Amino acid sequence: METLYDRLGGQDAISKVVDVFYEKVLADETVNKFFEETDMEKQRKHQSLFISWALGGPNQYSGRSMELAHKGMNLNDEHFGAIANHLAASLREFNVSEEDINQVLEKLTGMKNDILYK
């Protein structure tokens, strides 16, 4: 069965989406403060591997758990919504179907409890 990872074009395509995603995130004053001390090259690589795995690609992600990665950030629903919107907008720029975008957002929403208010 073809995975969402395959439909989006695999690792290379997801890496490009992640680059666009972080351009949007870093331009957004509601969430860019969370990345002020972040090594963005490392962050992009981790995010790309994580999203690939979340979409059914090979599991090459060896980073921290969602809960640990967001500990002490105290992210709220507004922050979560902004990130989800930037991800959806980034996927649209690569002509990903709304159906596939909704699947991506469903996966992200499934992780919400591990991310918010930590």
Side-chain angles (χ1 to χ4, degrees), residues 34-46:
F34 296 111
F35 298 94
E36 286 172 352
E37 305 293 319
T38 303
D39 174 344
M40 289 309 295
E41 193 174 324
K42 187 176 170 188
Q43 179 70 19
R44 285 172 204 269
K45 188 175 180 189
H46 270 300

Side-chain angles (χ1 to χ4, degrees), residues 79-95:
H79 302 134
F80 190 87
I83 294 296
N85 288 336
H86 292 314
L87 183 55
S90 301
L91 289 165
R92 281 186 194 103
E93 285 190 29
F94 289 87
N95 301 313

Side-chain angles (χ1 to χ4, degrees), residues 5 9-16 45 48-49 52-53 58 60:
Y5 171 82
Q11 192 65 55
D12 287 345
I14 289 169
S15 292
K16 290 175 183 152
K45 188 175 180 189
S48 181
L49 292 175
S52 295
W53 167 76
Q60 308 167 66

Side-chain angles (χ1 to χ4, degrees), residues 21-103:
F21 167 71
Y22 277 118
E23 282 174 23
K24 294 177 185 313
V25 167
L26 294 175
D28 181 345
E29 291 180 8
T30 60
V31 289
N32 63 8
K33 62 183 175 263
F34 296 111
F35 298 94
E36 286 172 352
E37 305 293 319
T38 303
D39 174 344
M40 289 309 295
E41 193 174 324
K42 187 176 170 188
Q43 179 70 19
R44 285 172 204 269
K45 188 175 180 189
H46 270 300
Q47 187 73 358
S48 181
L49 292 175
F50 176 76
I51 289 176
S52 295
W53 167 76
L55 302 182
N59 187 359
Q60 308 167 66
Y61 181 74
S62 60
R64 295 174 293 171
S65 71
M66 277 290 150
E67 203 162 333
L68 275 176
H70 297 92
K71 190 174 177 125
M73 295 176 82
N74 200 26
L75 297 173
N76 63 33
D77 284 295
E78 181 190 7
H79 302 134
F80 190 87
I83 294 296
N85 288 336
H86 292 314
L87 183 55
S90 301
L91 289 165
R92 281 186 194 103
E93 285 190 29
F94 289 87
N95 301 313
V96 175
S97 73
E98 288 302 312
E99 185 181 336
D100 286 346
I101 290 171
N102 287 336
Q103 280 188 36

